[in-house]
Amino acid sequence: MDQMRDIKLSWMTKLDPEESLNLYKELLVAYPNYINVLTTRLLVLETQKKDSTLDEKKKEEINAEMCQLFDKITSLIDKNTLLQYFGSKNVDANPKVKSLMERSRSAFADAMVKKGLLLDEQVDECWAQVCSFYDPADAKVKLQCLKTSQL
């Protein structure tokens, strides 16, 4: 079952916009709290936004959907659990737990950086949220922000 879900997720980025949206809706019904469904939809929307033939109305619709996705992603991630995990000196060595925590932290930070870049008035708030999980001087964080800003 998980393999089929993951195959469908990989295809979301390869389909035309309408088919991709239909597949997203199907996956969202089946997996409403699976963050990868939402992050994959974000990738699709970012790609669509690069289309030079889009009119302003369509770009605004994409931006609005992206904002909804940012909020949904960040609401699904338990920030307190992440802060406790990464703030602990005795980090759980279980590879599954570590992987889940790393993916959650990365998804949260990515959503916040992209939201801050999309909504200029929220950039400071979004940056503060990212800095609660990463050292702002960390080269990886700066690189991710640079890559994201070029989308």
Side-chain angles (χ1 to χ4, degrees), residues 101-132:
M101 292 292 148
E102 288 289 344
R103 284 192 323 265
S104 296
R105 178 173 72 164
S106 178
F108 180 84
D110 193 46
M112 292 307 291
V113 167
K114 290 175 182 179
K115 182 178 181 179
L117 291 169
L118 187 63
L119 305 172
D120 290 337
E121 68 277 3
Q122 293 187 23
V123 70
D124 291 336
E125 176 188 334
C126 292
W127 181 244
Q129 292 285 332
V130 171
C131 290
S132 65

Side-chain angles (χ1 to χ4, degrees), residues 45-106:
L45 292 172
E46 289 168 351
T47 302
Q48 288 177 10
K49 240 177 102 165
K50 293 178 185 177
D51 183 354
S52 60
T53 63
L54 286 181
D55 61 22
E56 284 305 309
K57 183 181 179 198
K58 184 62 179 170
K59 285 182 183 179
E60 288 176 16
E61 289 173 6
I62 289 173
N63 286 345
E65 184 178 350
M66 289 174 73
C67 286
Q68 290 173 344
L69 288 168
F70 297 142
D71 292 342
K72 178 131 187 191
I73 289 168
T74 56
S75 73
L76 288 173
I77 296 171
D78 184 349
K79 292 183 282 189
N80 290 331
T81 300
L82 282 178
L83 288 171
Q84 288 173 351
Y85 178 82
F86 288 107
S88 171
K89 290 185 181 188
N90 300 321
V91 175
D92 191 335
N94 180 329
K96 287 184 178 183
V97 172
K98 183 177 181 178
S99 176
L100 174 64
M101 292 292 148
E102 288 289 344
R103 284 192 323 265
S104 296
R105 178 173 72 164
S106 178

Side-chain angles (χ1 to χ4, degrees), residues 7-17 19-20 23 40 44:
I7 289 170
K8 288 180 178 183
L9 278 172
S10 70
W11 272 96
M12 266 178 59
T13 60
K14 297 171 177 73
L15 299 172
D16 70 53
E19 290 173 343
S20 178
L23 185 54
T40 303
V44 169

